[in-house]
Amino acid sequence: MRCFAFCVLLCVPVLAAAQQTVVIHNAVVETLGPAGRLEGATVILRDGKIAAVGKDVPVPDFARVIDAQGGTLMPGIVDPYFQVAITPASSDSGERTTVIRGRPFPFGGGFGGRTASAFTRIADNFYPYDPGLKPLPRVGICRANVVSSGVGQAAVIRCTPDQPETMLVQPDGPIYASVTNSTESLDQIRSRLQRGSRGSGPAPTGSATAPAPSAALNDPWKDVLEGKKPLLVEANTAAAVVHVVKFLQAYPDVKLVLFVAGDAVPETLPLLKERKVCVVLRPRFDFLPASRDRFSAPRMLHENGVEVVFSLTARPPRPPAITPPTQQQQQEEEQQTVPGVERDFPLFPVAMQVKTGLPRQIALEALTKKPAALLGCEKTHGSIEPGKAADLLLFTGDPLDPASRLRLTIIDGRITHAQ
Amino acid sequence: MRSDRPILGLAFLMMMASLLVAEENKDSQSAKPTSPPIAIVGGDVYTVSHGVIPRGTVLIQDGKIAAVGKDVAIPENALRIEAAGKCVTPGFVAISASNVGIRTGTGARGRTGEPAPPQGVTGRVVDAINPYDRNILFCLASGITTACVEVSGGGTGRFGRDALDLEELDETNVCPCCGMTYLPLEPITAPNPTERTPRRHAVLRMTFGELDRMLVKESPFYHLPAGAFAGAFNKHQWRETIKRAKEQVRDRNEGEDEGGFGGFGGGFGRRVPEEVVQLVEKKIPLRTDAASVEQIRTALALAKELGYAVILEGVHEAWLIPEELKEAQAQVILTPRSRRRPQLGKEDSTGSSIETAGILERTGVPFAVATLGNSVNLDGIPGRDLTSLMLEAAFAVRGGCSDDTALAAITINPARMLGLDKRIGSIEIGKDADLLILTGPPLDYHSHVDKALVGGKVYYDRVRENIYPDLPNRPKSTTQTKR
C-alpha cells in the first residue's frame, strides 16, 4: 500500500508534465528577443512557460506536438489601452421612482450615477463574465490593460474568458485618466498630483500623525509621482496634449504615457520629443491638420525618436449588458468581435503601417514588447525567450500577410483559441 | 509628394527652431540674451497714431517695436522682411469674437452638422484655450492679431426676453390683425427682478500653437444685455448692485474685514462680483447693447448717475443723438451693415442709418467696428463673419467717415476699450510688434494679409498657409485703379 502510494506520487508529476508539455515545431519564430527571427525552429512549452526555443532543440517524449509547417509564431499581443464601459454597481446609483401623495418623483441616476472626478479602481469593478471579453483571444490579444473613461487605476488581465476566475493578474495597474482641455477635466490629474506631492513632503499640514482615510487611495499617485507607475493619459486633441505636457513639466519624474489620436501628433511632436513621452495610439492613418492629406502618425513618431505603442482596440460602442444572456445573445456573442479590430484580419492595419514605411520590427515590438514594458511585465512577457510566459500566437503564414489566419492563441501554455 | 510637404515644413521649422535655440545659447553666454532684430523694410507704414510713412522701416527687437521711420538704421544681424509695394499696419483688434481659440457653444449659430459643445467655459479660461484652433489662423489671415473672445454667454434673464420687449411697449403699435393702432399698454405682470448673468470675455492673442502667449487678460469689461436695465425693477436692482459694490470698495479702503455682508445690509447678503467692483473703481467699463434712442439714453443716464464708463454696442439710432454720446464720453461699437427697420410713420427719427459712422466721426465719438457675425463661419453667407472685419470697416467709410478713422476703428479704438492701448493698436516705439503686411492699402477689398506678426513673430504667412491663396494666373482687372 505504501509502495503503491509512493508510485503514484512519483508518477503524478511526470504525467502532469507530460500533459502540459507542448512542442511547436517547423515554425518561423519571430522571437522579438536577442535570437531574432528563427526559421524552422522548435518551441517547447512547459508549465505555462517557454522551456526552450531554437533550431536544434530535442523534442521530449510524451509531448503534444503541433506541426506548424509554413506558419509563424509570434509573442501574444499586449493591449495597453483596452477600454471598457463600467456601469456603477452601488445601491444608490440607479434611478428609482418614489410616489409621494400619489405623484411619482424620480430620484438618483442623475448623470449616469458617476461624477467626472470619481476615481475608479478597475480591479474592483472588473466583470470577467463580460461578453465583450470573449473575442479577445480570437484576435490574438493575450494581455490587456483595462481602463475606462474618467480617472482611475487600471488593471492588467490575461485574456482567458474561459477561465474567468483567473483573468485578473495585476490588480494594481497604472493610473489612467482621459482629459480634454477644460478645468474640470484637467483637475482630475492636476489636483491629485498636487495633493500627492504635498502629502509626500517633509511637513504635511493638518493630521501629521494619523494617516488620513484617503491615504490608501493616494498611494498609486505617490507611485506615479516617483515614476514607479506610469501615468496613462488619454488626451483627445492636440490642445489637451499641450495642457497635460505643460502641466507635467513641473513633475519631471512622472513617466507620462499619452494615448492620442494620430491627428494630434504633428502639432505636438516637438513637445512629445522633449518630454520623451511614450505614445499609445491606434495603427491608423489620420489626416494632417487642416488638410485632406493622410499620414501615418506611428511612422512620424518613430522617425522622430518617439516610442510608439499600438493599441488595436477601440472604445466600446455601448456598455455591456450584465443581464444573463439568452440563447440568441449567446449565438451573437460568438460572432461578436472586439471593437475596432477586424475579426479575421486583426493585424491588417499594422500591416498597412509596415507597407507604408514603418519598420516591421518596430511594428511588431509596438504590439508586444513595448506594451509589456509599459505595464512592467517585460521580464515575463513580450518576446519568445526561455523562461518567459508562454503567450504565443501561431499564424498560418506571416502575421502581417492579409492572407494568413490566426491558427492558435496560446495563453500561459494553454490553447485558448484554435481555428 | 504633397503629403510630404507639411512634414518637410515641420522638419524645416524644427531645424530653424534648433538653430534659434543654438543662437540663444550662444547669446546667453554673453551679457544679454537677445534674439536677432527684425526689420520690415520698404512698405508704406500706417502707424494709426502718426499718419502714413511712405516706404518706411519698422524695427522689431524682443517682440516690441524698437524704431519706426524713414531713416532707421538697420543692425547688421537683423532679419529683413521686404515689404516694398506693400502696406504695414498694426494688427487688427476684434472687439466681438467667439469660438476663436476657445471652444464654446455660443456664437455658433449658423453652423450645422457639428454637435453643440457645452455652453461656455465653466472652469478657468486658460485651461480651455486651444492653441491649435484653426479659427486662429483664419483670424490671422484676415488681419486679426488680438481678439476679445466670448468665454460664456450671459443669460438675458428669467424670461429670456430682450430689452426690446419692454421698451417697445411704450410706442404706439399697429394691430397685426385689423391694422388699427392701439394705445400703449403696461405689461400685466412686470418681469421679476432677476439678476442678469454677465457675459464673460477674455482677450487672446492669435499666437497659433503657443499656449503660453495667448491669454492677455480676462474680463476687460462688465458686459450685460440691455434687458438688465429695462424696467423699474431691473433699474432698481442694478442701482442696488452698484450701491453694494461701492460699500464694498469703501469697506476695503477703510481696511475693514470683508465678509460681514450677511444680514440685511447687503440686500441679498452676498458679495457683488469682482468685475462690478472694478467697474465702480473705473478700472473697467460697462459694455451693453443699446439699439434705440431710449436704450442709449437709459444706459447713458445710469452711467452718469452711478459713475462708471460705458461702451455701447449695436447703436442703430446713435445718429440721432451723437451729441449726447459725446457729452457722456461714451465709447461705441458699430456694425455699419447692421440694420434696424424704422417704425411706420417715424422714418426720420427711428431706425438705423448708413451714415452713422460719418456722423459719429464728425461729432467726435470714438467708435470700434465689429462684424455682423462674431465667429469664423466659412459656410454661411460670405462677408459677414469675423474674417470680414476689414471689409466691415470699409463700410464705415461708405457711411461717410475717413479712412483713418475706419482704420482706427479696428485697431486703436478697440484696443482702448480693452484697456490695452498702451500695448497694441498702433505702430509706436515700445508697443507690441503686432503687425500686418498687407498686399495693398487697408480697407481695400483687393488687399490680403501677406504676413501677420504677433509679438514680433510671424504666425501667418500667405505663402505657407493655404487659406487665401495667391493664385498665380489670376487675371488682372482692367477696372482696378492703380494706387
Side-chain angles (χ1 to χ4, degrees):
Chain A
M1 190 63 201
R2 188 175 287 175
C3 181
F4 175 73
F6 181 69
C7 282
V8 169
L9 279 175
L10 257 183
C11 290
V12 163
V14 172
L15 282 171
Q19 275 170 357
Q20 282 172 3
T21 304
V22 176
V23 174
I24 303 166
H25 78 118
N26 260 339
V28 177
V29 184
E30 288 277 3
T31 63
L32 298 181
R37 183 183 161 97
L38 303 169
E39 297 202 11
T42 306
V43 178
I44 299 172
L45 315 177
R46 192 177 293 137
D47 296 334
K49 292 216 163 38
I50 297 165
V53 186
K55 283 196 172 180
D56 306 312
V57 177
V59 178
D61 299 333
F62 308 113
R64 178 178 172 186
V65 178
I66 298 168
D67 185 13
Q69 178 66 46
T72 304
L73 207 56
M74 70 172 275
I77 295 168
V78 182
D79 196 309
Y81 208 86
F82 181 66
Q83 289 161 301
V84 293
I86 286 178
T87 41
S90 67
S91 58
D92 58 344
S93 57
E95 194 188 5
R96 59 196 180 278
T97 309
T98 306
V99 178
I100 302 170
R101 290 191 182 180
R103 289 170 64 189
F105 290 95
F107 285 104
F111 297 98
R114 299 178 63 79
T115 53
S117 59
F119 187 90
T120 311
R121 192 165 175 271
I122 293 289
D124 299 339
N125 292 276
F126 178 63
Y127 183 68
Y129 306 95
D130 181 354
L133 301 169
K134 290 239 167 87
L136 282 174
R138 195 198 164 105
V139 296
I141 296 172
C142 297
R143 293 217 159 212
N145 184 37
V146 183
V147 299
S148 187
S149 56
V151 60
Q153 185 170 24
V156 182
I157 60 164
R158 58 176 204 149
C159 304
T160 50
D162 48 342
Q163 294 182 338
E165 300 81 10
T166 56
M167 279 178 84
L168 199 61
V169 288
Q170 192 187 337
D172 294 316
I175 297 290
Y176 71 87
S178 58
V179 301
T180 57
N181 59 326
S182 72
T183 303
E184 299 91 333
S185 177
L186 288 166
D187 273 348
Q188 287 184 3
I189 51 175
R190 284 195 308 211
S191 58
R192 286 188 169 97
L193 278 178
Q194 277 160 355
R195 213 185 306 148
S197 60
R198 266 205 305 276
S200 62
T205 51
S207 57
T209 48
S214 63
L217 264 181
N218 282 344
D219 273 341
W221 290 95
K222 283 207 184 88
D223 290 347
V224 165
L225 277 165
E226 289 160 12
K228 288 180 193 159
K229 273 192 170 67
L231 177 63
L232 246 93
V233 180
E234 178 183 1
N236 62 343
T237 59
V241 172
V242 172
H243 281 277
V244 169
V245 175
K246 292 254 169 178
F247 169 71
L248 286 173
Q249 277 171 354
Y251 301 91
D253 292 338
V254 172
K255 190 169 179 284
L256 177 63
V257 180
L258 278 174
F259 180 72
V260 296
D263 51 11
V265 166
E267 283 157 334
T268 54
L269 193 57
L271 273 177
L272 299 175
K273 267 176 82 169
E274 191 196 325
R275 173 81 196 195
K276 296 196 168 51
V277 179
C278 175
V279 177
V280 180
L281 74 179
R282 298 204 181 96
R284 287 200 324 196
F285 295 92
D286 298 274
F287 289 114
L288 277 168
S291 87
R292 291 284 167 194
D293 298 336
R294 296 266 192 184
F295 82 111
S296 158
R299 184 184 166 190
M300 181 185 269
L301 286 167
H302 169 67
E303 286 174 358
N304 284 283
V306 180
E307 203 179 322
V308 188
V309 179
F310 284 140
S311 169
L312 290 178
T313 54
R315 185 187 295 276
R318 59 183 163 78
I322 51 173
T323 48
T326 60
Q327 202 168 9
Q328 192 192 351
Q329 273 175 333
Q330 268 176 343
Q331 282 169 358
E332 281 170 8
E333 278 158 21
E334 279 156 25
Q335 301 294 316
Q336 201 188 352
T337 58
V338 185
V341 188
E342 279 279 342
R343 197 179 58 164
D344 292 330
F345 323 93
L347 294 185
F348 184 73
V350 180
M352 283 294 283
Q353 295 287 337
V354 173
K355 194 83 180 162
T356 53
L358 186 72
R360 180 189 159 90
Q361 184 75 11
I362 297 297
L364 290 177
E365 282 180 5
L367 285 168
T368 55
K369 208 175 175 180
K370 294 277 174 62
L374 192 89
L375 302 176
C377 55
E378 70 273 24
K379 295 249 163 54
T380 52
H381 291 84
S383 63
I384 302 178
E385 288 172 70
K388 285 204 170 183
D391 284 9
L392 301 169
L393 306 180
L394 177 61
F395 284 87
T396 55
D398 190 90
L400 299 184
D401 182 354
S404 49
R405 291 287 175 277
L406 180 59
R407 195 176 138 196
L408 288 178
T409 302
I410 300 168
I411 297 177
D412 286 337
R414 206 172 55 84
I415 293 172
T416 313
H417 168 77
Q419 197 177 10
Chain B
M1 190 58 216
R2 222 181 130 225
S3 65
D4 281 343
R5 242 190 294 159
I7 303 172
L8 283 177
L10 207 86
F12 178 70
L13 272 181
M14 280 191 295
M15 210 172 72
M16 289 297 286
S18 63
L19 279 178
L20 279 175
V21 168
E23 199 82 16
E24 271 173 19
N25 287 343
K26 223 187 286 168
D27 285 340
S28 65
Q29 283 159 8
S30 63
K32 203 170 133 203
T34 50
S35 54
I38 300 168
I40 301 170
V41 189
D44 296 349
V45 183
Y46 287 67
T47 63
V48 174
S49 54
H50 300 92
V52 183
I53 304 165
R55 285 175 294 286
T57 301
V58 183
L59 191 68
I60 302 162
Q61 181 77 53
D62 300 328
K64 303 265 179 207
I65 296 166
V68 193
K70 245 179 140 52
D71 308 307
V72 173
I74 300 167
E76 284 285 307
N77 60 340
L79 194 75
R80 286 170 74 99
I81 299 176
E82 289 296 337
K86 291 171 181 157
C87 296
V88 182
T89 67
F92 301 153
V93 181
I95 193 77
S96 289
S98 62
N99 278 337
V100 178
I102 294 178
R103 274 282 166 201
T104 58
T106 55
R109 280 182 285 267
R111 282 194 89 95
T112 52
E114 209 174 85
Q119 288 280 318
V121 175
T122 46
R124 296 195 303 150
V125 172
V126 69
D127 289 334
I129 292 178
N130 177 2
Y132 301 110
D133 187 2
R134 191 80 181 146
N135 285 353
I136 296 175
L137 279 181
F138 286 120
C139 278
L140 285 171
S142 44
I144 297 163
T145 55
T146 307
C148 178
V149 182
E150 193 174 306
V151 174
S152 65
T156 47
R158 192 168 168 183
F159 301 104
R161 47 162 97 173
D162 272 335
L164 273 181
D165 305 346
L166 282 172
E167 296 290 335
E168 297 293 296
L169 286 171
D170 295 339
E171 314 281 348
T172 309
N173 279 316
V174 179
C175 175
C177 315
C178 56
M180 295 271 285
T181 54
Y182 59 84
L183 287 173
L185 289 170
E186 279 295 313
I188 294 164
T189 50
N192 285 358
T194 50
E195 191 135 351
R196 310 285 168 147
T197 319
R199 288 187 179 191
R200 286 165 63 210
H201 299 261
V203 184
L204 301 184
R205 297 209 290 181
M206 302 289 106
T207 53
F208 183 80
E210 284 191 47
L211 177 67
D212 303 335
R213 306 182 73 190
M214 278 185 73
L215 187 64
V216 180
K217 72 191 285 190
E218 286 180 55
S219 301
F221 24 63
Y222 192 64
H223 189 168
L224 285 172
F229 315 110
F233 279 134
N234 284 320
K235 282 201 189 79
H236 170 74
Q237 198 179 4
W238 177 239
R239 286 193 183 102
E240 285 296 309
T241 308
I242 294 290
K243 204 165 91 187
R244 271 191 287 156
K246 282 179 176 164
E247 278 168 11
Q248 217 160 297
V249 172
R250 203 184 55 223
D251 290 351
R252 189 189 286 172
N253 291 343
E254 286 170 5
E256 276 183 24
D257 186 38
E258 299 159 5
F261 271 87
F264 304 105
F268 290 92
R270 61 185 169 86
R271 305 173 61 79
V272 296
E274 182 55 31
E275 283 94 342
V276 182
V277 175
Q278 289 187 359
L279 181 72
V280 168
E281 291 177 323
K282 297 191 177 175
K283 286 179 184 161
I284 57 170
L286 177 87
R287 174 174 171 177
T288 184
D289 50 317
S292 67
V293 169
E294 286 300 318
Q295 285 171 343
I296 295 172
R297 283 188 174 142
T298 305
L300 293 181
L302 279 171
K304 193 178 173 189
E305 176 195 332
L306 302 170
Y308 51 77
V310 70
I311 298 173
L312 300 180
E313 67 179 319
V315 282
H316 288 111
E317 296 185 355
W319 59 281
L320 292 160
I321 48 167
E323 296 293 342
E324 289 176 35
L325 284 164
K326 160 99 173 136
E327 197 196 322
Q329 293 178 328
Q331 299 182 86
V332 168
I333 299 170
L334 194 68
T335 307
R337 280 187 289 169
S338 142
R339 287 281 170 269
R340 181 184 164 94
R341 195 175 289 198
Q343 288 176 15
L344 280 176
K346 292 184 178 177
E347 282 80 0
D348 292 343
S349 57
T350 56
S352 57
S353 162
I354 183 71
E355 297 192 25
T356 307
I359 292 167
L360 289 178
E361 187 199 12
R362 285 194 290 280
T363 322
V365 178
F367 64 91
V369 163
T371 45
L372 284 161
N374 52 14
S375 66
V376 175
N377 184 354
L378 299 177
D379 45 31
I381 299 172
R384 284 190 170 194
D385 69 337
L386 196 57
T387 59
S388 62
L389 183 64
M390 196 166 80
L391 199 66
E392 199 66 49
F395 273 93
V397 178
R398 193 80 178 145
C401 87
S402 66
D403 282 23
D404 294 345
T405 305
L407 187 59
I410 50 173
T411 52
I412 190 75
N413 287 355
R416 194 175 293 121
M417 289 175 187
L418 300 172
L420 295 170
D421 50 326
K422 297 274 189 299
R423 276 185 63 180
I424 53 171
S426 63
I427 302 181
E428 286 175 272
I429 293 168
K431 283 201 170 181
D432 287 3
D434 291 6
L435 300 168
L436 306 176
I437 301 173
L438 300 170
T439 56
L443 312 179
D444 185 341
Y445 55 81
H446 292 100
S447 300
H448 277 293
V449 177
D450 193 51
K451 284 186 181 65
L453 290 83
V454 185
K457 190 176 161 189
V458 179
Y459 281 95
Y460 171 79
D461 192 337
R462 195 179 174 203
V463 178
R464 203 175 60 206
E465 303 294 338
N466 207 13
I467 293 177
Y468 291 120
D470 191 8
L471 301 175
N473 297 323
R474 189 194 298 213
K476 285 273 176 284
S477 167
T478 47
T479 54
Q480 185 182 346
T481 49
K482 229 177 146 64
R483 296 210 182 212

